[in-house]
Amino acid sequence: MKVFENQEMKNYSNMRVGGKAKKLIILENKEDIIEVFNDKENTNIFFLGNGTNVLFTDDYIDRTFVCTKKLNKIEDLGNNLVKVETGANLKDLTDFMRDKNYSGIENLFGIPGSIGGLVYMNGGAFGTEIFDKIVSVEVFDENHQIREIKKEDLKVAYRKTEIQDKNWLVLSATFKFDNGFDAARIKEIKELRESKHPLDKPSLGSTFKNPEGDFAARLISECGLKGTIIGNAQIAEKHPNFVLNLGNATFKDITDILTLVKKSVLEKFGIKLEEEIIIVR
């Protein structure tokens, strides 16, 4: 593993916002995590994947960040079973599925997160969730043990998992795919995302979870907030559930926008929006 001190965390978030952290550890194999926890100097540990949905404060962050992006192996186990390490990204898995003619999670194409991040929060899109094709997950648990858990033994809900509640580290997930890669669906999803999502400026993707039976983007739009700018942060015109960094946005710019959105939606609709992104203060 590699250890860095006083790293600029804005370099590890898609939002390109963040102050310096006490320590950043980049894992090079899964056994490194045991060594990390055996070192008593590593305190306030936070697991970090590709930083696609994490917003960091601008202040000094007194935490040890453990980054898993180098754990990115994808292995075909046979019988349509595929083991994917936590740091692999969805695009690489999609390419692997294309090569092997596997199918099952094409609807997720274009989500920028790591597999570990998607598993951690049961990420999804267009009616498909990452857990739809998962059979087991390998985790590092609260007892500092590496163990594999069957899907049926895990509590999984919309954008929430037991893994998240217990702050386990996802090390890998094993999928059971169908046959018949759907290239046409990938093309359709790609065109849909490019037409509806603002991809030209830093963001963390969907900012708020969709409330049951509704869409956060619709609620934000109905509040007349599309295009609203605070400092150097903006509620996207193209998709109002995206918050954009216009160039030099601060943590306060972005959190002020989040506060405005939640207050406006609550006042107009009586609905409390909940962030889908992870905020590290």
Side-chain angles (χ1 to χ4, degrees):
M1 61 185 173
K2 294 180 179 176
V3 181
F4 304 92
E5 295 183 358
N6 296 313
Q7 282 291 99
E8 293 275 0
M9 293 310 294
K10 67 181 179 183
N11 297 323
Y12 296 87
S13 167
N14 272 23
M15 189 59 94
R16 299 293 179 258
V17 171
K20 289 184 177 180
K22 179 179 73 174
K23 188 182 289 187
L24 172 72
I25 299 172
I26 298 178
L27 302 182
E28 294 181 299
N29 61 71
K30 69 181 183 183
E31 286 76 21
D32 284 344
I33 191 62
I34 297 170
E35 188 178 339
V36 167
F37 274 83
N38 284 340
D39 187 342
K40 301 303 181 188
E41 289 187 6
N42 295 326
T43 56
N44 294 329
I45 291 172
F46 183 94
F47 301 131
L48 179 66
N50 293 349
T52 51
N53 72 330
V54 182
L55 175 65
F56 298 114
T57 178
D58 291 327
D59 299 330
Y60 177 78
I61 309 170
D62 187 23
R63 285 180 178 264
T64 298
F65 289 93
V66 177
C67 181
T68 60
K69 65 181 181 180
K70 286 199 172 182
L71 305 182
N72 54 18
K73 184 179 177 184
I74 302 175
E75 182 182 4
D76 195 330
L77 303 178
N79 195 31
N80 291 49
L81 292 169
V82 178
K83 186 173 184 176
V84 187
E85 286 191 324
T86 184
N89 63 52
L90 190 58
K91 183 183 182 306
D92 289 341
L93 178 55
T94 304
D95 289 344
F96 183 91
M97 291 170 63
R98 187 194 307 270
D99 291 343
K100 298 287 186 177
N101 196 33
Y102 288 151
S103 177
I105 56 170
E106 285 89 342
N107 279 348
L108 305 188
F109 180 78
I111 298 177
S114 66
I115 295 302
L118 288 168
V119 171
Y120 180 78
M121 63 176 289
N122 191 23
F126 302 110
T128 297
E129 295 177 334
I130 193 78
F131 264 91
D132 289 350
K133 291 298 173 183
I134 284 176
V135 294
S136 65
V137 179
E138 186 181 30
V139 301
F140 179 75
D141 68 17
E142 72 273 27
N143 298 316
H144 303 169
Q145 300 291 317
I146 294 174
R147 62 190 176 103
E148 190 156 357
I149 308 173
K150 291 180 180 178
K151 173 185 171 178
E152 55 264 33
D153 295 329
L154 277 170
K155 294 174 185 171
V156 178
Y158 172 72
R159 302 297 180 268
K160 196 168 183 63
T161 66
E162 182 180 358
I163 297 165
Q164 192 176 32
D165 290 338
K166 294 182 176 176
N167 199 30
W168 294 339
L169 172 63
V170 176
L171 294 172
S172 70
T174 299
F175 295 80
K176 174 79 170 181
F177 291 123
D178 304 317
N179 290 316
F181 183 78
D182 193 346
R185 183 58 175 160
I186 293 290
K187 184 174 183 290
E188 184 183 354
I189 295 288
K190 184 174 184 292
E191 291 171 354
L192 196 60
R193 286 189 180 278
E194 288 173 350
S195 68
K196 292 191 173 183
H197 293 177
L199 304 176
D200 58 332
K201 292 193 170 54
S203 80
L204 297 175
S206 293
T207 307
F208 295 98
K209 298 177 183 179
N210 289 326
E212 188 174 352
D214 212 330
F215 295 95
R218 185 194 77 81
L219 299 171
I220 297 166
S221 183
E222 289 289 325
C223 288
L225 295 175
K226 269 188 178 183
T228 298
I229 296 174
I230 295 179
N232 270 283
Q234 180 182 34
I235 298 172
E237 290 269 9
K238 206 171 188 180
H239 193 307
N241 200 18
F242 280 58
V243 177
L244 309 178
N245 182 348
L246 299 179
N248 295 295
T250 64
F251 178 76
K252 187 176 186 301
D253 292 342
I254 295 161
T255 53
D256 282 353
I257 278 189
L258 302 186
T259 300
L260 172 65
V261 167
K262 288 192 286 188
K263 181 174 181 289
S264 301
V265 169
L266 183 61
E267 288 177 354
K268 188 174 179 67
F269 297 102
I271 294 173
K272 290 182 72 173
L273 287 183
E274 183 182 348
E275 285 95 348
E276 187 167 316
I277 62 172
I278 297 166
I279 302 173
V280 180
R281 290 181 165 87

